[in-house]
Structure formats: structure tokens, C-alpha cells
Amino acid sequence: MTAGALAGGLLALAAVTGPPAAPPTEPVAATGNSATVYYSTKTRNWSSTYLHYAPTGGSWTTVPGTLMQPACTDWVKLTVDLGSAAGLQATFNNGSGTWDNNAGRNYALGTGDITVKDGVVAHSDPCAGTDPGTPRSATVYYSSQSLGWTTVNIHYQPAGGSWTAVPGVGMEAACTGWWKRTLDLGSATSLKAAFNNGNGTWDNNNGADYSIPYGISTVKNNTVTAGATDPCAQTRPDTQAPTVPTGVAASATGTSVVLSWQPATDDTGVTGYQVTRTGGTKGSTVTDVSSTVFSDTGLEASTAYTYTVRAVDAAGNVSAASTAARVTTGSAPQEPATGTPLGTDPRKDPIYFVLTARFYDGDSTNNRGGSQHVKSGNAANDDPMFRGDFKGLVDKLDYIKGLGFSAVWITPVVLNRSDYDYHGYHGYDFYKVDARLESAGASYQDLIDAAHAKGMKIYQDVVYNHSSRWGAKGLFTPTVYGVRDSQWSWYYDARNEGFEYDGLSVDPQSGKSYYNGDLWSTAEPTGNTCLNWGKPTGGRSAEGYTVYNCQWPSPTSGMFPKAYYHQCWIGNWEGEDSRSCWLHEDLADFDTESAPVQNYLIGAYNKYIDMGVDGFRVDTAVHIPRVTWNRRFLPAIHDRVAQRFGAQAAENFFVFGEVAAFVNDKWNRGSPNHSAQFYTWKERREYSADDRAAALESYEYEQQQGTGNQPTSTNAFLNGNSYHTPDHSRFSGMNIIDMRMHMNFGDAQNAFGNGKDSDDSVNDATYNVVYVDSHDYGPNKSSTRYTGGTDAWAENMSLMWTFRGIPTLYYGSEIEFQKGAKIDCGPTCPLATTGRAYFGDHLKGSLSVSGFSKVDSASGQVATTLSQPLVKHVQRLNQIRRAIPALQMGQYSTDGISGGMAFKRRYTAGGTDSFALVTVSGGATYTGIPNGTYRDAVTGDVKAVTGGTLSVAAPGKGNLRVYVLDGPGRIGADGPWLK
């Protein structure tokens, strides 16, 4: 809360000794600008609920606030007169010292009807239609017993209104054989409807559609029963509360507390938890969370706090409180490491992807070559693997901005540990930033803040699937056998008590830039499960040295406990074991269905959310079951962002997963579980409460459903020429890298055709991250950086920047950096010969940038880099895309269009209506389009359309035309292709 609210609000709790003031006898009347706030009491068990609020720019009410009135079952409400204010800040309490203040951040509410339920803010009247005399809604039950459908949509038209977009809206499972949906009819008293399974199979009452009145109706075997009783009313109500959460543990770091617990169980499934905190001067708070870890920040220093946890199920049953966990905070940090994400729609921001350690060296003192420095050939090139850093990235943000990019995807930042770990994918301490990337005045927080100050986002690469082979500090680290004999003393550092590996500090005894004295032991550790500890295997190392058992971590050695790690090697990349086995000896596979692992990872990544990053790129997402993402990790991300920065920031926190599929098919070898689009959807049925059992059940169920019975979506597609509001109700929270387009970008036309073919199976393909090549592969699983030619690069870019999705460029591709070079060969060849070479030599010099794509001056080598033809091309593409909302967020269609890579896009919201006709390289004719004046963003050409048809001549390979209805005309200056 604000300082003013604290002074006159919660701190006044100690002075509240009498009963709350009596409520007014008449409802508060709105005076033209008001908010009707509905609050769900279903999981609160409060006898009274008070709204404590402050209109924007105004004063807070006196604690405890104003008593809210019953509205309908499980809801109370209060109408607040806002005067001239545009909204209000709000908290809720029971009048006796227990508060829901959105985890200390208050609720930011607007005007009109507003609901607050379990920490989620929405805009609706939850009681609409509950008064039989108010015909505002229809509750439709549909029986699929004779059809065998596993998904049901209702496509409907309120009387006098318009039909929904095909396939309609999803219905919810109500009870066995029945689906349910309550529809807002406005002033209408009936509707027409048809039903479908989302895959083209319809029940439209034999072509006559169904006529359904308001109120409760059933539709079964082509018969509508109006005024029906609830067909699920006989279903036994769920009155069983979940089990009490156990293992509640709290730890404090400064004025922050991390609370974790074991998952509760329930007969129908636990949907969330309530965390109650007491202590300090602010009174009690109740916070709703979806995961089994909660990070509480901004507490009072040196203060004792007590936490209890209750489990909640789908019926609103609440368990008893857990055993209390007590913790005392420490001293307040001098400079809290926090930031604020920019919070805008991620589709507006083209992405530039960098390997931080290979981009630009701003501080040579943190350069490290590691144990493979000489062997790799890097030493001969004076090219340590850790070379670029955050300081270098801060120094060159203007270069990236000058190209026109407003989002930067950086490789993982957590402390890594292996022999060759510059890329960041061998995480060791997930709670600590790798010191080889930071400098004085250029910490990770400094990078985030510097980017935000320039209007640029930071997307952090994150790994949930695995740690380094040395485990994860704070969770589990294995002990290996190691003897410092004449053969191995060069490898094993002497143990240095009090010295800790941090990636940067040099071992004071050996003088090496790495340290492994904390890893090895000659004495067999207590509880060891690795067989034949310290006995020779009979094998030899590459150097001819004796190799011993338990000398090297592996999943089958018994060195990793089942509670934290999987214990097998992957055998089938499209099999179930791809989610439950190790991918590589350097990638120790977490058991992500284990609660301690989930708590460790959620707690770690909460730290980076708090720092203000704008999104996560999720590495190896396919190797974790979708049900685990949907149950644990994705809700935890959303909850944390919402708690820290509000619901809108959570909506725009961009999570995009790497679901690697190296085939050109819509579905990866016919397996839904291993296909990118699969991860964009929520689960469509309930599984066991146990996460390990649920992972297997989900895998088997979806494999049996096959590819033909997966959810479909029209979210990326225009309805004729019209934009329609997308339906994200079944969105999982994870967007995807467009692997199918990536695999086909050897030719832009192929990428275009393959992308279109997959879009109906993605929840919303307008959020797909689209790139040609990356740090792993080029098109068609090529092991080299793209070498298709400069004209082909220009054509690929022209398509990426105008077609649906978010264009993404791998560092250096703007000058065809390292084209044809092997992308990665580990330490067997110098990095300078690979696609991961150091880019900094091309960025030396100075430049002045006044905006995105606007370089005012440049000198030195960076001036030469900025003069390259593809640089000019991408700068103008970014200018054009940034000026035309349809190219950023629009839905698309190819209906009524002749031509190769030709399409139309539209985006409509508020006062924005942006409609664009695009053709890449080839000519096109558009029919059935709105009449009006169209201006080309490339040439400025103007075409007046009166008969619904517009034709465009072929602009040439790499070129394009973007005719915008009532558009601005020519954007930017001619370049080598755009002219």
C-alpha cells in the first residue's frame, strides 16, 4: 500500500476496538462514474467483508473500510462513487484484522462491474441472470453421450444479434455426458445455436439449428427442453476438503521469505492454496497461489512472521490450516534489486537474440577460458569462451535499438558449472547470477534497468528441465570419487575450506580459474548409493589414465537421488522417456514432478521476475510434461508477475517455449506430446493428484486421442475481412517458437506454406516466435548458419516482419555473420570458427541513436556494420512493422487472394482499425476487400478501390508491398530491396 494508506489505513488496526460502523440502509447510488466491486467469499470463510479503498488521486477510507453487501451465492458487492477518478486502489478484510491486499500490492481496479476472485481481477457481473425476472443469460446443457465427443463448442446467435465466429465458444464439462455454458444474451430472450467438436463435426439439428430460450435448457438427442432442471443436480456434491498441506518450511533472506510445502491431495483435485501470514505491524494477509512455493517480499526487517497454508479444491472446499512455519527476517537490503517490466503486448516487439558471452566484451576482467581453453583452440585466438558480458550488452543496446529491435533475448544468466559452459545451459546455482557476466556498475539488474530506460525488453532464457552434471546448489549436488594421484592431481583441486566455486574466482592454491575441490572425495560418503565406490572400472581416459567407478556423474550410477533427478538415459526422442531421462551427460535431468524440485525452480525464477524481466524463453520445454507446465510452472509464473506487477503485466509477460521438432510435418512424427502447438493448450480432463502419475496418464490419453482429435483455434484467422476477439480461455500460458517455419526457411515460400498449415492447431499463432536460424540449428536441421544467399535472407526477413508472429534475428545475421560455419562443435574446435563466434569486433566504435531504426551518427567499425545491405533492410522492416498495428497483432487470411506469399491482415481494438494487404516477392490480386483508399508503405503508391479488388505487380525477390487502408503511405527510405 501507499505510505499514506499505511499511515491512515492498516497501521490504524491497533486502534480499532469497537464494532465496525453500521452499513448504510440504502445502496450507494452511482453519480455517473462508479465502480461496482464484486468480491468472492467462497474460499474465505469470512462472516463479514469490508472494502478498504482509495479513488485514484484520493484518500483511503478509514480502516476497516465499508461493509460489502450480499450479492448472490458466494459473492458480496459494493458500489463506489468515484467522482472524477478513473479507478481505485482496493484491499479487502474481514473487519477483524485478516486482509487480502494482493500480497502487499493492493488491487488496481477501474470502473464499471469488477470481480475479484482468488487474486484475479476481471470485468463482469457474476450475479447476472441469477434473478429469474432478469432475462440476461441462458445456461445451456448439451449431452454428448451418443456422440463420444471430448470437446464441445456452442456456436450461437442471440435473437437480433450476430453469430459467434466458428467454431463458437468452448463448453465446460458439467458431469458425466453433459457439457455446460452460460451465455450473456444482453436484452435478448432467446438464441439460435449449433454444436461442434472443434474438428469439423457438427450437430446443427439437421440443418435447422436449435432455438433455445433464456434460463436453463438442455439439448439432448435433437430435443430442447426449456426451463429444465439441472441435469447434473443429482451428481453428488463435492463436500470433501483437501488434505492439510504438510512440510511447510520458511526461510528468510533479508526482508524476503520463501515458503514451500508438499502438495495436498483431494478426491477431485487441488486447484490452489491460501497462504496466511501474521506478524509485523500490517496485520494478517491472505494470498492465493497456484503452486507449492510462495515468495513474500518487502517485509519488515528483523521481524518474526508466522505462515500457515490451506488447500482449496474446485468446489471451494478448504482444508484446515497447516502446521505453522515461523521465520524471522534479517536486515533490509540497502538497494533492493527490483525492476518493473514494460508490460506491453509482446507482439509489438521484434526480438534480437544474443549469446551474451559472445556478443560484446565490455569488461575483460571477467573473461574466463575454463579448463578447455587450450584444448579447444580458443587460447590460440585469445578468445576465452566467457568474453562478452552485461557491460558489453549495456554498451551496445543502442546498436540493437538502431536496428529497430525492442526486445533482447539473452542466454541463461544463472551460475553455470561445467568444462564448457559459456552458453548458460549448464545451470548450477539457479539463485545466483553468473559472475562471469557481471561487472561493477553492470549487474544483471543494471542491464534490465538500462534496457527499460531505452524502451527495450529483456527476455531471459530459462531452464527447468535440467541442471549441470554437478547438480543444483541448494537442492542436491553429488559427491564423486576423486584421487589426487600422479595421474589426476592436475584435474582435482586440493580442497580449500571456506572457498566456494563462483565461476569467476581463481582457486588460490592451483591458480586455476575454476574450482572442483568441493566436488570430490576419496572417502565414501554416508548414504552413498553408487556401487563399487573408487574401484577401477578397467577403462582408461583419453589421456590413458585409470578411470574409477563413481568418478563421473551419470543417471545410472546411483549418484542422484530419485527424489530430485531422473535415473535413465533417453532412448526415444519421441517417446515417453524423452520427458523422464537424461539428454546428455552434462544435463542432469530434474524430476520436475517432484515437489522439492518444483519449489526450488519456482523460487529461483521468482527472483528474476522480481528483477523486472519481461518474459522467459523456456529451454527444452518438450522434455517436461505439458500437465506439469500447466499445473505448476506456468501458474507460478503468472501468479508471481500478477502479485508483483498486476494482472495486465501478467497478461503480457511473454513465455515462449522451445518444443524442438525437427521434421516438416504439422505433428512431430504423429505424436501430439512432442509437437510445439500441443503446449499452447490447457488440459482437457482431470488427472491424478500425484504429478508423476498425472504425467503418465496425460501422455497416454493424448497419444490415444491422436493428432486428429486435438483442440483447434481460429484466433490467428480473420473472419472474412473482420478481426474478431480471440478466445484465450483454453490457453496454457506458454507460447512457442515456430519450429515448423524454422525448419522450412531454406525457402521462404515453404516456410509460409508450412506455417499456415499449422496455425489452426496453435492456440494463437500471432504470438509465435519466428526465426530462420539460431544457436542450435539452421533450416532443415542444418548444423551450419544460414547460407542461402543475401537475396534469400532479405526475402525471409520480408516475410517474417509482415506475416503473423514475432520476428526474431540471431545476433550477426544482419550481416550474414559466420554464414556456412558450423554452429557448434563444443570444445573440439575454436569458437572463432563456429556460428557462436565473438561478434564484438564488428561493434567497435561509437554511435548515436534517437529512436528505433534511427541511427543519427556512427564511427569506427560499427559504422561499417550499420552500412551493410541487410542492416538497411531490417531497419526499414522494423520501421514499417512498428507503424502498422495489423502487422504486429493482426489476424490474417489468404481467402480471395491470388499470389504466392500474399495475405491480408487486420487488427481492431478501441480506436484502432488497421487493415493491410501484403505480398512478398510476387504479384497478387485481392478480391472481396473493403472499398477505400489504400497506400503502400514501401513506395507510397495510392490505389482507390471501388469494386472490392486490388492488384499488385510483383515487387521482386526480397521486396514487398504493404497496402494499408487509409494508411500513412511511404514509411522510411528506399533500400537495396524495399523500393
Side-chain angles (χ1 to χ4, degrees):
M1 298 179 72
T2 64
L6 286 173
L10 295 182
L11 288 178
L13 279 173
V16 179
T17 56
T25 56
E26 297 293 333
V28 176
T31 59
N33 186 38
S34 65
T36 300
V37 181
Y38 293 85
Y39 186 75
S40 173
T41 59
K42 188 174 181 65
T43 62
R44 290 296 179 224
N45 295 322
W46 291 351
S47 59
S48 300
T49 303
Y50 290 80
L51 174 64
H52 178 49
Y53 68 92
T56 303
S59 302
W60 285 84
T61 55
T62 302
V63 170
T66 305
L67 182 67
M68 304 184 75
Q69 303 299 308
C72 55
T73 303
D74 298 325
W75 290 92
V76 293
K77 75 174 183 178
L78 183 70
T79 298
V80 177
D81 184 358
L82 297 177
S84 60
L88 67 154
Q89 292 281 309
T91 66
F92 304 87
N93 67 90
N94 67 349
S96 300
T98 300
W99 288 79
D100 172 9
N101 60 9
N102 195 19
R105 283 164 288 279
N106 303 335
Y107 290 96
L109 308 179
T111 60
D113 291 335
I114 306 164
T115 61
V116 180
K117 181 178 181 182
D118 297 335
V120 177
V121 177
H123 291 267
S124 64
D125 178 354
C127 302
T130 56
D131 178 357
T134 306
R136 293 179 61 188
S137 66
T139 299
V140 182
Y141 288 87
Y142 181 76
S143 173
S144 63
Q145 286 176 323
S146 62
L147 302 173
W149 292 354
T150 58
T151 299
V152 177
N153 299 308
I154 180 171
H155 178 48
Y156 70 97
Q157 177 194 42
S162 301
W163 282 90
T164 56
V166 172
V169 296
M171 303 188 75
E172 303 167 351
C175 55
T176 303
W178 287 96
W179 300 77
K180 173 185 176 183
R181 184 79 187 210
T182 298
L183 308 172
D184 184 0
L185 299 182
S187 60
T189 58
S190 65
L191 70 150
K192 284 188 175 182
F195 303 87
N196 65 86
N197 69 349
N199 288 296
T201 302
W202 287 79
D203 170 11
N204 59 6
N205 196 22
N206 298 316
D209 297 326
Y210 290 98
S211 294
I212 302 173
Y214 75 89
I216 297 176
S217 301
T218 60
V219 181
K220 183 176 182 180
N221 297 333
N222 299 102
T223 300
V224 175
T225 302
T229 58
D230 182 349
C232 298
Q234 300 305 314
T235 302
R236 192 173 186 177
D238 178 9
T239 59
Q240 180 177 330
T243 60
V244 177
T246 60
V248 181
S251 61
T253 302
T255 55
S256 298
V257 169
V258 174
L259 189 74
S260 63
W261 58 93
Q262 296 295 319
T265 59
D266 185 67
D267 57 335
T268 60
V270 174
T271 58
Y273 298 89
Q274 293 179 354
V275 177
T276 300
R277 181 193 73 209
T278 58
T281 62
K282 299 181 182 180
S284 301
T285 63
V286 179
T287 303
D288 299 287
V289 298
S290 301
S291 62
T292 54
V293 64
F294 172 63
S295 297
D296 207 4
T297 59
L299 302 174
E300 297 167 61
S302 304
T303 301
Y305 288 96
T306 299
Y307 293 85
T308 57
V309 184
R310 297 174 184 265
V312 183
D313 68 12
N317 299 307
V318 183
S319 76
S322 68
T323 302
R326 295 175 174 82
V327 66
T328 300
T329 56
S331 302
Q334 291 182 347
E335 295 182 3
T338 58
T340 302
L342 295 184
T344 54
D345 192 313
R347 295 173 296 180
K348 295 181 178 180
D349 302 299
I351 302 170
Y352 192 77
F353 171 35
V354 301
L355 270 70
T356 308
R358 308 302 301 158
F359 187 61
Y360 190 77
D361 187 6
D363 177 8
S364 61
T365 65
N366 59 11
N367 292 357
R368 293 294 182 268
S371 64
Q372 303 299 303
H373 189 47
V374 174
K375 180 180 179 180
S376 64
N378 290 337
N381 294 323
D382 191 22
D383 185 25
M385 59 170 182
F386 266 95
R387 191 172 177 184
D389 45 41
F390 293 147
K391 188 175 189 306
L393 196 46
V394 169
D395 289 347
K396 297 303 175 183
L397 282 174
D398 273 348
Y399 169 76
I400 299 171
K401 185 171 184 175
L403 295 178
F405 293 93
S406 48
V408 186
W409 157 16
I410 60 172
T411 40
V413 305
V414 304
L415 176 61
N416 268 230
R417 190 167 194 175
S418 79
D419 292 330
Y420 215 54
D421 54 4
Y422 65 94
H423 43 66
Y425 298 102
H426 295 168
Y428 172 67
D429 189 342
F430 286 69
Y431 285 77
K432 186 175 183 179
V433 175
D434 202 307
R436 292 167 288 187
L437 297 174
E438 294 195 301
S439 308
S443 66
Y444 186 34
Q445 186 68 60
D446 292 326
L447 169 63
I448 295 168
D449 294 345
H452 288 173
K454 295 179 183 293
M456 301 169 71
K457 295 179 177 179
I458 294 292
Y459 295 150
Q460 178 179 329
D461 212 322
V462 295
V463 185
Y464 286 77
N465 178 66
H466 57 264
S467 71
S468 76
R469 65 170 176 266
W470 305 115
K473 184 181 177 185
L475 180 71
F476 175 79
T477 55
T479 299
V480 301
Y481 175 79
V483 56
R484 300 191 76 248
D485 58 18
S486 58
Q487 297 180 349
W488 290 104
S489 61
W490 66 274
Y491 184 76
Y492 294 108
D493 295 330
R495 190 175 301 278
N496 231 323
E497 296 302 330
F499 187 80
E500 186 176 358
Y501 169 84
D502 64 6
L504 182 68
S505 301
V506 175
D507 171 26
Q509 290 192 30
S510 68
K512 297 177 180 177
S513 60
Y514 58 91
Y515 175 66
N516 61 23
D518 58 330
L519 299 174
W520 63 271
S521 173
T522 53
E524 185 171 356
T526 302
N528 171 60
T529 55
C530 185
L531 299 177
N532 300 313
W533 174 268
K535 295 180 180 179
T537 64
R540 298 276 178 177
S541 71
E543 299 86 357
Y545 302 155
T546 300
V547 176
Y548 299 91
N549 280 298
C550 311
Q551 190 175 17
W552 195 262
S554 77
T556 55
S557 64
M559 299 171 74
F560 288 85
K562 291 182 179 179
Y564 307 121
Y565 286 90
H566 291 133
Q567 301 191 330
C568 53
W569 291 108
I570 190 171
N572 178 4
W573 289 86
E574 276 75 42
E576 191 281 326
D577 60 343
S578 70
R579 68 98 192 162
S580 59
C581 296
W582 287 37
L583 312 179
H584 188 272
E585 64 183 9
D586 268 337
L587 310 178
D589 197 84
F590 282 131
D591 181 355
T592 49
E593 290 70 68
S594 158
V597 172
Q598 294 169 357
N599 293 340
Y600 177 84
L601 292 170
I602 291 169
Y605 289 125
N606 279 350
K607 167 181 176 175
Y608 304 106
I609 290 172
D610 291 353
M611 293 174 76
V613 296
D614 301 277
F616 287 157
R617 179 268 187 183
V618 182
D619 181 71
T620 50
V622 70
H623 299 296
I624 296 175
R626 185 182 73 177
V627 69
T628 304
W629 283 115
N630 288 351
R631 279 185 173 188
R632 307 300 175 205
F633 297 133
L634 293 172
I637 293 170
H638 183 276
D639 286 354
R640 187 59 177 176
V641 179
Q643 289 164 8
R644 291 289 291 165
F645 307 112
Q648 190 62 45
E651 201 68 25
N652 287 324
F653 188 89
F654 191 45
V655 179
F656 57 106
E658 177 204 27
V659 182
F662 303 116
V663 294
N664 295 332
D665 303 327
K666 180 174 183 176
W667 297 95
N668 185 9
R669 295 182 173 88
S671 171
N673 283 283
H674 299 90
S675 301
Q677 60 268 38
F678 180 77
Y679 280 74
T680 66
W681 297 95
K682 288 181 179 178
E683 304 305 319
R684 47 182 168 169
R685 55 163 288 188
E686 192 71 37
Y687 300 106
S688 297
D690 178 78
D691 282 357
R692 292 187 180 92
L696 291 170
E697 291 167 4
S698 172
Y699 181 89
E700 291 298 330
Y701 175 78
E702 295 296 350
Q703 290 296 90
Q704 291 299 317
Q705 292 298 307
T707 60
N709 198 24
Q710 294 298 317
T712 58
S713 169
T714 62
N715 284 338
F717 307 122
L718 291 173
N719 184 5
N721 292 314
S722 299
Y723 178 87
H724 62 91
T725 302
D727 176 10
H728 293 149
S729 62
R730 292 182 289 168
F731 176 50
S732 67
M734 182 183 289
N735 297 287
I736 53 171
I737 293 170
D738 198 320
M739 294 300 294
R740 196 172 180 201
M741 287 193 73
H742 166 49
M743 285 291 102
N744 284 277
F745 255 121
D747 175 77
Q749 182 70 59
N750 275 347
F752 177 61
N754 278 273
K756 287 191 303 176
D757 183 50
S758 297
D759 286 352
D760 65 341
S761 60
V762 180
N763 183 270
D764 191 342
T766 66
Y767 289 86
N768 283 12
V769 170
V770 183
Y771 56 61
V772 173
D773 61 358
S774 73
H775 57 324
D776 288 325
Y777 291 101
N780 201 28
K781 206 179 179 181
S782 167
S783 61
T784 60
R785 285 194 74 157
Y786 185 73
T787 184
T790 310
D791 283 349
W793 246 126
E795 185 177 52
N796 286 341
M797 289 179 179
S798 292
L799 175 62
M800 291 162 62
W801 261 257
T802 54
F803 188 43
R804 60 93 186 117
I806 303 170
T808 302
L809 199 68
Y810 185 38
Y811 81 99
S813 289
E814 65 273 21
I815 61 169
E816 295 181 271
F817 181 60
Q818 296 296 94
K819 63 179 179 181
K822 190 174 181 65
I823 292 174
D824 175 36
C825 56
T828 63
C829 69
L831 280 167
T833 65
T834 72
R836 299 178 176 183
Y838 176 66
F839 192 58
D841 292 337
H842 296 274
L843 301 178
K844 291 180 178 179
S846 62
L847 72 163
S848 174
V849 172
S850 58
F852 294 107
S853 300
K854 297 178 181 178
V855 178
D856 299 323
S857 63
S859 62
Q861 185 58 44
V862 71
T864 302
T865 300
L866 288 167
S867 69
Q868 300 304 302
L870 282 176
V871 169
K872 299 298 184 185
H873 189 56
V874 77
Q875 284 175 317
R876 193 174 185 204
L877 284 170
N878 273 323
Q879 284 181 295
I880 292 171
R881 187 179 190 272
R882 196 171 297 279
I884 302 172
L887 302 185
Q888 303 166 28
M889 301 166 290
Q891 296 161 342
Y892 77 95
S893 174
T894 57
D895 293 344
I897 302 172
S898 66
M901 291 178 284
F903 45 93
K904 55 187 175 184
R905 298 190 67 184
R906 191 170 207 156
Y907 177 73
T908 307
T912 299
D913 187 4
S914 176
F915 184 69
L917 308 174
V918 181
T919 183
V920 180
S921 297
T925 297
Y926 305 83
T927 60
I929 61 172
N931 292 330
T933 302
Y934 290 78
R935 298 180 181 89
D936 179 24
V938 177
T939 65
D941 180 49
V942 180
K943 291 185 182 294
V945 174
T946 57
T949 298
L950 185 151
S951 294
V952 183
K957 190 177 181 69
N959 202 349
L960 74 156
R961 296 291 179 258
V962 184
Y963 280 88
V964 182
L965 180 60
D966 297 324
R970 180 193 184 98
I971 299 169
D974 283 355
W977 291 277
L978 298 179
K979 55 187 178 181

